[in-house]
Amino acid sequence: MSLITLHSQWYILLCVIASFIITYYLYRKDKKSEGISKNIKLTMFILRFLSVTLISILLLGIFIKSISKNIKKPIIIFAQDNSESLKKQIDSNYVIQQRKFLEKLSKNYDVKKYTYGENVKTGFRLTFNEKETDISQAVSEINNIYFNENVGALILSSDGIYNKGKNPVYETDKVKFPIYTIALGDTTINKDIAIQNVKHNEIVFLNNTFTIETTISATKLKGKESNLNVFSNKKLLYSEKIFINSDNFFKKINLEIKAEKAGIMPINIVVKAVNDEKNIYNNSKQIVVEVTDLKQKVLILANSPHPDISAVKNSLEINQNLEIEFFLINDFKKNINEYNLIILHQIPSKTFGATDLLTKISTQKIPVLFILGRQSDLDKFNNLRAGLVIERGSGTFDEVNGYLNKDFDLFKSADNIERVATQAPPLISPFGNYKLSALSQVFLNAKIKNLETGRPLILFSSFGSNPNNKTAIIAGEGLWRWRMFDFKTNNNHYSFDELINKTAQYLTLKELKERFIVKTPKIINE
């Protein structure tokens, strides 16, 4: 303990001298103290002197400096993975060695114990029965708890398998203290064939054929063969032999399945186990598809007769879940609320603005497909805020083909559609400066001869700023040529028909409007 002043310590001596002088002059000729004994006068003198001295010294800014020393052990945090994937990897010997290791650390460190899996928990209650592993959450929570503590290290004991949360690597970058890992499990690569991934639509229409993309992988099984089978309620829907031609085998298979019954359709995808395969749990996957039999009414309105109308109508009619009606705009007298999708061929046009009709479509939030061409009134179209504005210069038209936008992800297109769009006779598209709204997604971009322009040819967007008010725009006429070219080169209309039907299916897909929505997966993966 020591005294500290804001000024030189010589000022303390001056304070003592000044206090003595002041006190002396106060008591030297004090008439009020006459008759008082000398001892009392001396006592009063001393008290006055000490008081003035103490007050003057305190005015100098006196502090008492006290230093205490408290030694804390550095903190070592040990976090143990408690997920089910470790149940067969950890034995009693590991638990014994772990206990000895932590006891040894406790001599020099303050050891904090945690388990993690679905959640982070203090202490060690090792059950190895948690269904999820979120390593990033464990690192984040521990970092928040011990942010300003003297942490020596975080030790993560895990097999490194996580099925929830972010990649732990990105979370560890935020941690200031060292992280060490104890790798558990067997690193030996065993013979294995597995279903790696399955992609499918959640909703399909009755009697439609839909695609399930399945990815098969195999390790250390070169020269072997297996079978891929697809079942629904124990009924075999699809079967294919799998020939494994390498030790690191990988193959994508598109399964064509027909929706034959309305309702929930459970589908089991199974790849047959190969001899000596240790892990057979990844040989099957189950998915659920909802089959709906609700017919969708589609209205085609045209400014005038055109072969594009027949091409689009014929493509849609192969879908038994669509009911198609066609009218010229001057002849249409029905209520548009009856329809689930409206296709407008070159409307608004230079001869028919259809302002009232377009206002009703926008107000009622009816999905609409615009097909633009030489009869279209682009000024009126631009005012609709349909996701695309075409600022025209000379009022001319370009002959354009299309090429796929690789970032498009609203639906999967037919494999041949890019060849059709690239090689078929071109569409007649308005020349100008194309501007997209923020909600627009381009499916095909325009190509003039061999020049990729980057301007949209087929895109999906919405009326105004409401993403639930869906629109699609084909910025060109001449679709009938594409359908004929598809038949000429492939002997069928499959690619073109799929493009038109998937466009209609996306536009007519209903979005829930309720304010309170609870979404639950049909299958919960452990």
Side-chain angles (χ1 to χ4, degrees):
M1 185 181 293
S2 60
L3 293 176
I4 301 174
T5 64
L6 298 177
H7 307 283
S8 173
Q9 293 185 1
W10 287 104
Y11 282 98
I12 296 176
L13 179 60
L14 292 177
C15 288
V16 174
I17 296 171
S19 299
F20 180 82
I21 293 171
I22 293 170
T23 307
Y24 175 76
Y25 276 101
L26 285 174
Y27 283 94
R28 188 186 62 161
K29 295 181 178 181
D30 187 3
K31 294 180 180 182
K32 295 179 181 180
S33 61
E34 292 179 0
I36 300 174
S37 65
K38 292 183 178 180
N39 290 334
I40 294 175
K41 279 186 177 181
L42 180 63
T43 302
M44 294 172 61
F45 180 89
I46 293 172
L47 292 174
R48 177 67 61 91
F49 167 71
L50 292 175
S51 300
V52 174
T53 302
L54 180 62
I55 291 171
S56 59
I57 289 174
L58 290 175
L59 292 174
L60 294 177
I62 297 292
F63 296 94
I64 299 174
K65 182 180 179 181
S66 176
I67 300 175
S68 61
K69 191 174 182 181
N70 183 18
I71 299 175
K72 293 180 69 175
K73 294 180 180 180
I75 297 172
I76 297 292
I77 305 164
F78 192 94
Q80 174 63 54
D81 189 347
N82 197 33
S83 61
E84 199 174 56
S85 61
L86 283 171
K87 182 174 286 187
K88 295 183 179 180
Q89 306 293 342
I90 289 183
D91 54 19
S92 58
N93 183 54
Y94 169 79
V95 177
I96 294 170
Q97 294 300 323
Q98 182 190 77
R99 187 184 300 115
K100 291 180 179 179
F101 172 66
L102 294 178
E103 287 175 355
K104 188 176 180 180
L105 282 178
S106 300
K107 295 177 180 178
N108 300 311
Y109 302 96
D110 183 9
V111 178
K112 305 293 184 180
K113 303 173 185 178
Y114 290 87
T115 62
Y116 62 93
E118 299 170 10
N119 298 295
V120 182
K121 301 173 185 175
T122 58
F124 268 10
R125 291 185 61 189
L126 301 179
T127 57
F128 303 112
N129 61 357
E130 299 194 36
K131 304 294 184 183
E132 296 175 336
T133 308
D134 192 345
I135 301 177
S136 63
Q137 182 199 29
V139 174
S140 177
E141 285 197 21
I142 290 171
N143 185 42
N144 291 335
I145 294 171
Y146 298 96
F147 184 73
N148 289 320
E149 299 284 347
N150 180 25
V151 178
L154 166 62
I155 302 173
L156 284 173
S157 176
S158 174
D159 58 1
I161 300 173
Y162 64 94
N163 56 5
K164 185 181 178 183
K166 299 180 291 186
N167 189 326
V169 173
Y170 303 127
E171 198 63 40
T172 55
D173 291 340
K174 305 174 185 177
V175 179
K176 302 301 181 184
F177 43 79
I179 298 178
Y180 300 97
T181 57
I182 299 176
L184 304 176
D186 188 359
T187 58
T188 304
I189 300 175
N190 297 309
K191 296 178 180 179
D192 186 42
I193 184 168
I195 298 175
Q196 290 287 347
N197 193 22
V198 176
K199 294 181 180 179
H200 64 96
N201 291 332
E202 292 187 358
I203 301 175
V204 298
F205 291 104
L206 182 64
N207 296 320
N208 276 13
T209 299
F210 60 97
T211 302
I212 301 174
E213 184 185 274
T214 304
T215 304
I216 309 294
S217 68
T219 54
K220 299 184 72 174
L221 289 173
K222 183 178 180 180
K224 303 288 185 178
E225 66 176 56
S226 180
N227 274 69
L228 175 67
N229 296 317
V230 181
F231 300 91
S232 179
N233 296 321
K234 298 184 180 180
K235 179 183 177 182
L236 182 63
L237 303 179
Y238 183 93
S239 182
E240 180 179 337
K241 280 190 178 295
I242 306 294
F243 296 96
I244 305 170
N245 54 18
S246 69
D247 281 333
N248 293 309
F249 179 78
F250 185 87
K251 184 179 182 181
K252 285 185 178 180
I253 301 174
N254 289 325
L255 313 174
E256 299 292 335
I257 308 297
K258 187 173 182 180
E260 297 178 341
K261 185 179 179 181
I264 299 299
M265 182 179 181
I267 298 174
N268 291 303
I269 305 170
V270 181
V271 61
K272 184 180 177 182
V274 181
N275 293 339
D276 301 327
E277 187 177 357
K278 290 186 177 181
N279 181 16
I280 61 172
Y281 294 103
N282 56 10
N283 287 34
S284 63
K285 278 191 181 290
Q286 185 183 38
I287 63 172
V288 173
V289 174
E290 183 178 346
V291 181
T292 177
D293 61 349
L294 297 176
K295 284 206 169 190
Q296 306 281 327
K297 294 188 70 175
V298 179
L299 171 64
I300 302 176
L301 290 177
N303 185 64
S304 62
H306 196 283
D308 279 356
I309 299 165
S310 177
V312 173
K313 187 170 180 289
N314 289 337
S315 293
L316 294 175
E317 284 177 341
I318 68 172
N319 189 336
Q320 298 179 10
N321 295 286
L322 298 179
E323 184 180 325
I324 317 299
E325 293 185 15
F326 164 69
F327 293 92
L328 292 176
I329 188 65
N330 288 323
D331 300 331
F332 181 68
K333 307 297 181 185
K334 290 189 174 184
N335 187 351
I336 63 167
N337 291 333
E338 300 176 7
Y339 301 97
N340 305 102
L341 172 63
I342 298 176
I343 299 175
L344 299 178
H345 189 272
Q346 305 200 56
I347 296 173
S349 68
K350 298 171 184 176
T351 58
F352 200 94
T355 305
D356 292 340
L357 174 71
L358 293 166
T359 302
K360 290 179 182 177
I361 292 173
S362 177
T363 304
Q364 299 299 325
K365 296 181 174 59
I366 302 173
V368 58
L369 167 61
F370 292 96
I371 302 176
L372 307 180
R374 284 171 287 198
Q375 301 172 34
S376 298
D377 188 328
L378 294 183
D379 292 331
K380 291 179 180 177
F381 172 77
N382 291 340
N383 293 331
L384 297 176
R385 297 174 64 204
L388 175 66
V389 172
I390 304 176
E391 296 177 350
R392 299 187 65 186
S394 59
T396 58
F397 291 81
D398 292 323
E399 292 187 349
V400 301
N401 291 95
Y403 63 96
L404 281 176
N405 173 23
K406 303 300 182 184
D407 296 326
F408 181 80
D409 60 1
L410 295 181
F411 55 80
K412 189 177 184 301
S413 62
D415 294 335
N416 291 329
I417 191 60
E418 184 169 28
R419 184 163 64 88
V420 172
T422 303
Q423 299 179 10
L427 303 184
I428 306 302
S429 179
F431 169 78
N433 183 23
Y434 285 58
K435 294 183 178 180
L436 296 172
S437 72
L439 296 174
S440 298
Q441 277 210 47
V442 177
F443 174 60
L444 288 179
N445 283 306
K447 178 190 289 187
I448 301 176
K449 295 184 178 178
N450 291 322
L451 176 63
E452 295 182 352
T453 64
R455 84 186 195 198
L457 180 59
I458 299 179
L459 64 102
F460 294 82
S461 190
S462 62
F463 266 129
S465 59
N466 187 347
N468 294 322
N469 199 359
K470 295 179 181 178
T471 62
I473 302 168
I474 301 176
E477 61 175 294
L479 295 171
W480 62 275
R481 298 189 183 97
W482 283 17
R483 194 166 194 266
M484 292 181 67
F485 177 83
D486 189 18
F487 187 83
K488 178 182 176 182
T489 55
N490 301 314
N491 204 29
N492 58 52
H493 302 112
Y494 178 79
S495 297
F496 181 84
D497 290 348
E498 186 179 12
L499 168 63
I500 298 300
N501 275 279
K502 283 196 172 180
T503 299
Q505 184 176 352
Y506 168 76
L507 292 174
T508 56
L509 185 64
K510 295 293 183 182
E511 300 286 346
L512 293 176
K513 304 297 193 300
E514 288 81 1
R515 294 189 179 187
F516 181 73
I517 301 172
V518 178
K519 294 185 177 179
T520 58
K522 297 182 179 67
I523 294 179
I524 300 173
N525 294 319
E526 295 183 354

